Amino acid sequence: MSALEPRDADTGTATDEPPIPASALSSTAPAETGGVLGRSYRALSIGIVSVVFLIAFEATAVGTAMPVAARELDGIPLYAFAFSAYFTTSLFAMVLSGQWADRRGPLGPLAAGISAFGVGLLLSGTAGTMWLFVAGRAVQGLGGGLVIVALYVVISRAYPERLRPSIMAAFAASWVIPSVVGPLASGTVTEHLGWRWVFIGIPVLVVFPLALALPAIRRRASGPPDPSAGAEPYDRRRILLALGISLGAGLLQYAGQQRNWFALLPAAAGFALLVPAVRGLLPPGTGRAARGLPSVVLLRGVAAGSFIAAESFVPLMLVTERGLSPTLAGLSLAAGGGTWALGSFVQSRPRLEPYRERLMVGGMVLVAAAIAAAPSVLIDAVPVWTLAVAWAFGCFGMGMVIASTSVLLLKLSAPEEAGANSAALQISDGLSNVLLLAAGGAAFAALGGGTVGAVHEAVAAGGSGSHPGAFAAVFLPMAGVALVGAWVASRVRAR
């Protein structure tokens, strides 16, 4: 799944409230009556939900095709990079998109983001080496970061407050069908036409969302929030900090894949860039889980990072260790879209508001249990369907946690701080994805994961992979991180 995780958006979130510029929050939307599908909002709602639907379909389809792509490109040791490269570049793009949308409106970054997203897919689909494939994923991340911020700026400007929960719920619901159809379609295409057609074919789907959404956005949410005011200069310091996060995270990922003493140099450079950038972009006290807002921001990162890092290796494990086809491996995660949306719905019930902290703690326990249960399928006697059941419960927990972090963030933020705090939430989400994917990828490679047998060889051998311990080294530490998240969840309310 990508940092562009509108599943996080199910609440007012994808995974994952994109940063909403403060100026956008202060703008007033027209006061028309009716719902999100009423006459006034129908075209806009269908258009932006179609964009999220496209992102959801891409995430589920690409995840299914990824193990085959990595094998054919001799890139299993770089498997984690194919996911983390997306998040790394999206970190920078999110900050840039926030400032772009703040000053000139969301139309520009949304159009540019969707275009970059499609170009990245084409680059990956035509790549001849794994590094070129990873480069395409990085371009996708730039597009995804631009899009996710712009979408939420559109919501903040075009919809009155009473309609925002409904459109965000529609974002979550738009993940349900792709969660089922995406793996099936991608697996079928991969097995009969080849994995490249999964990447090359998806950009065709960009045409409909663009044609429907952009005219509606131009009418209702384009231009600067106050056309009579002069354009404010870009915050260069914040952009430089975002660039520092992206470069630092990239260097740490590279160092994690190099098992020699020279890796200490890029690792040191990465930390030198990352630490001051994180301190400048996240609320004070985030690192020590201070009560209130800092713990909310930290929890978002812990939850998203541990879950996404683990989920990224599930299809590869099922294909190489249990001999499943790419289609069946992808479908093992299909129920998660529905249970994630259900978890988001449950936490939104007004009568459960007094118990929100307990729901979040319970949600993180479910996430930890699901991740810890995943490597049990490395034992041949354990039915593969047990992973699907466990993952459905984990997604239910994620739906409650991710949605609640978004709700609490807005509740704990003063109006003039909502934009910066929303950005911090998204940065925590994306950065944690990058770092935990890098750590998981390094552990996977160090224990021989890079020599996992080819897909068809694994199938012919009855699904016996080469290094099951390499997968366990990914899942079990991530389960531990999720348990830490349960403790952080107990500190989200300011005393």
Side-chain angles (χ1 to χ4, degrees), residues 319-407:
V319 167
T320 60
E321 300 298 319
R322 294 301 298 264
L324 268 65
S325 68
T327 303
L328 291 177
L331 284 174
S332 68
L333 306 178
T339 57
W340 189 304
L342 179 61
S344 176
F345 173 79
V346 167
Q347 66 79 38
S348 69
R349 299 301 86 196
R351 61 188 178 86
L352 293 179
E353 175 60 32
Y355 309 102
R356 182 173 299 280
E357 182 178 305
R358 295 181 186 178
L359 288 175
M360 297 172 79
V361 172
M364 288 308 303
V365 171
L366 285 176
V367 172
I371 297 174
S376 66
V377 299
L378 293 168
I379 303 171
D380 290 340
V382 176
V384 173
W385 58 260
T386 59
L387 187 148
V389 173
W391 219 251
F393 279 100
C395 285
F396 179 80
M398 284 293 288
M400 291 194 295
V401 172
I402 296 298
S404 293
T405 57
S406 302
V407 172

Side-chain angles (χ1 to χ4, degrees), residues 284-314:
T286 299
R288 55 184 173 84
R291 287 194 175 274
L293 182 64
S295 285
V296 172
V297 172
L298 178 61
L299 177 61
R300 179 58 158 264
V302 169
S306 59
F307 190 80
I308 296 301
E311 186 179 62
S312 298
F313 282 86
V314 168

Side-chain angles (χ1 to χ4, degrees), residues 412-443:
L412 296 172
S413 299
E416 66 275 11
E417 297 174 342
N421 289 343
S422 295
L425 192 74
Q426 183 64 22
I427 289 169
S428 175
D429 187 314
L431 180 61
S432 179
N433 285 335
V434 170
L435 295 181
L436 291 181
L437 271 168

